[in-house]
Amino acid sequence: MNLSVQIGKLALQNPVMTASGTFGYGAEYAELIDLNQLGAVVVKGICLSPVRGNPTPRTVEVASGLINAIGLQGPGVDGFIKKHWPFLKALNVPTIINIWGTTVEEYAEVARRFNALGGVGALELNVSCPNIKAGGAQFGTDLKLLGQVVAACRRETKLPLITKMSPNVVSIAPYAKAAEEAGSDALSITNSYPAMAIDIETRRPKLANVTGGLTGPCIKPIAIKLVWEAAQAVKIPVIGMGGIQTAADAIEFMMAGATAVAVGTANFYEPQTCLNVIAGIREFMQRHGMEDVRELIKSVRVAK
Ligand SMILES: Cc1cc2nc3c(=O)[nH]c(=O)nc-3n(C[C@H](O)[C@H](O)[C@H](O)COP(=O)(O)O)c2cc1C
């Protein structure tokens, strides 16, 4: 049975990876699961300098989901390379580094630094974070800026580039095409949705940041639709994510058009989720007499 898939020139032993920001820098989960069984480890977003993040509370549970406003806390490029890279580079599975910046030049500089590092599996450009006021959101929701940021990173690196799309657009197809035309090797869909929750007794927002990004099972059907639309608009592979808890969820994303999938929020309450999803995909393939996981991709039957 073949579970391997290809994201640009990056080969994955199976299509299941972690979603950025929900799996730390890998080491945090090393005692809980065998990381070498994953398709890839995707780490928390990194920018040029260290970032403290937002004040607490930074997460709140809502019906079938989570709202977070972490504020892209991170050690910066140097801190990441010193503290986290030695562990990650020793793994047998690729590391995908999620990167962000507040200007096109900053993105490009981070891409250049990781290109020079050697051994990185791919870069994922977070152009869609709704939590940072200084940047992020406008890159992913402005066709021109999106093209500029992808092209600027493309000039700095030969590493596979994955553009993580913003869901906050009326139609995702033109944005997917803009990222492809600017040189992206793949798209990841989707990031979180802007959201807010209020404590009605105190009349205060539940998050110190007031608003945050909604993730988890409640966003899955919306994410499936975005993946389906984007996968028809571009030739490059799509990595699907949003509320994946089970193999059935992952298979649904693949049928909609995803070549690979990422597990996010579910890691917080069931660290085994990625491994359960991989086992469940195998079981599904066996039950349906499938030899190659790629048979699942874009296999939804839509009457024309
Ligand atoms: C606590 C938290 C932190 C996140 N941090 C990042 C991040 O740094 N960069 C990024 O591109 N996405 C980040 N995300 C978004 C996830 O990678 C993923 O796109 C989203 O959670 C949808 O998947 P899920 O519903 O399975 O969680 C974060 C999500 C959560 C819940």
Side-chain angles (χ1 to χ4, degrees):
M1 204 181 267
N2 177 34
L3 260 74
S4 67
V5 294
Q6 203 66 35
I7 301 295
K9 61 181 180 188
L10 179 68
L12 307 180
Q13 63 178 347
N14 67 63
V16 183
M17 59 184 81
T18 60
S20 174
T22 66
F23 209 71
Y25 305 95
E28 294 89 333
Y29 280 80
E31 280 181 17
L32 299 167
I33 69 166
D34 178 4
L35 301 176
N36 286 323
Q37 287 186 36
L38 298 170
V41 172
V42 184
V43 299
K44 173 75 185 160
I46 306 285
C47 67
L48 268 185
S49 313
V51 176
R52 285 174 64 99
N54 288 327
T56 56
R58 311 202 281 189
T59 57
V60 56
E61 212 176 311
V62 294
S64 293
L66 179 78
I67 310 177
N68 89 83
I70 305 298
L72 289 171
Q73 182 180 333
V77 174
D78 290 330
F80 171 81
I81 293 173
K82 194 159 173 253
K83 278 187 244 157
H84 305 296
W85 184 238
F87 174 85
L88 288 161
K89 81 170 176 203
L91 294 177
N92 295 329
V93 300
T95 297
I96 297 176
I97 304 181
N98 182 282
I99 68 170
W100 64 279
T102 55
T103 61
V104 170
E105 294 73 28
E106 249 177 57
Y107 274 95
E109 175 64 8
V110 179
R112 191 186 67 74
R113 297 281 308 276
F114 284 128
N115 187 60
L117 183 61
V120 174
L123 296 180
E124 181 180 55
L125 308 182
N126 177 7
V127 294
S128 45
C129 179
N131 296 335
I132 291 293
K133 296 181 187 91
Q138 70 265 39
F139 292 104
T141 54
D142 179 316
L143 277 175
K144 207 170 140 205
L145 269 178
L146 177 64
Q148 280 175 8
V149 81
V150 175
C153 292
R154 179 74 292 162
R155 282 192 289 274
E156 297 295 342
T157 182
K158 291 206 161 49
L159 291 170
L161 272 186
I162 303 163
T163 305
K164 184 154 180 184
M165 308 301 289
S166 169
N168 304 310
V169 291
V170 177
S171 165
I172 199 162
Y175 293 87
K177 281 190 200 141
E180 180 180 47
E181 278 161 21
S184 195
D185 299 294
L187 307 176
S188 50
I189 301 173
T190 181
N191 213 316
S192 57
Y193 286 80
M196 178 173 173
I198 297 168
D199 179 333
I200 61 163
E201 297 304 326
T202 62
R203 302 186 187 215
R204 289 189 165 290
K206 288 188 174 174
L207 292 171
N209 190 57
V210 183
T211 62
L214 179 64
T215 62
C218 58
I219 72 167
K220 195 191 82 178
I222 322 178
I224 294 274
K225 177 200 175 254
L226 289 180
V227 166
W228 181 64
E229 284 176 350
Q232 325 228 357
V234 295
K235 293 196 179 64
I236 52 176
V238 174
I239 302 166
M241 68 198 78
I244 296 179
Q245 304 184 90
T246 63
D249 297 329
I251 291 165
E252 200 177 337
F253 270 100
M254 293 189 76
M255 289 183 176
T259 295
V261 295
V263 173
T265 304
N267 291 311
F268 294 135
Y269 55 87
E270 178 47 271
Q272 296 280 338
T273 304
C274 285
L275 302 189
N276 294 343
V277 168
I278 297 164
I281 292 174
R282 268 185 209 286
E283 188 274 327
F284 181 88
M285 287 171 63
Q286 227 150 29
R287 195 150 46 83
H288 290 267
M290 293 169 58
E291 283 298 318
D292 195 313
V293 75
R294 290 171 299 181
E295 289 172 47
L296 286 172
I297 304 168
K298 240 185 194 176
S299 65
V300 59
R301 295 174 183 147
V302 181
K304 292 256 161 58

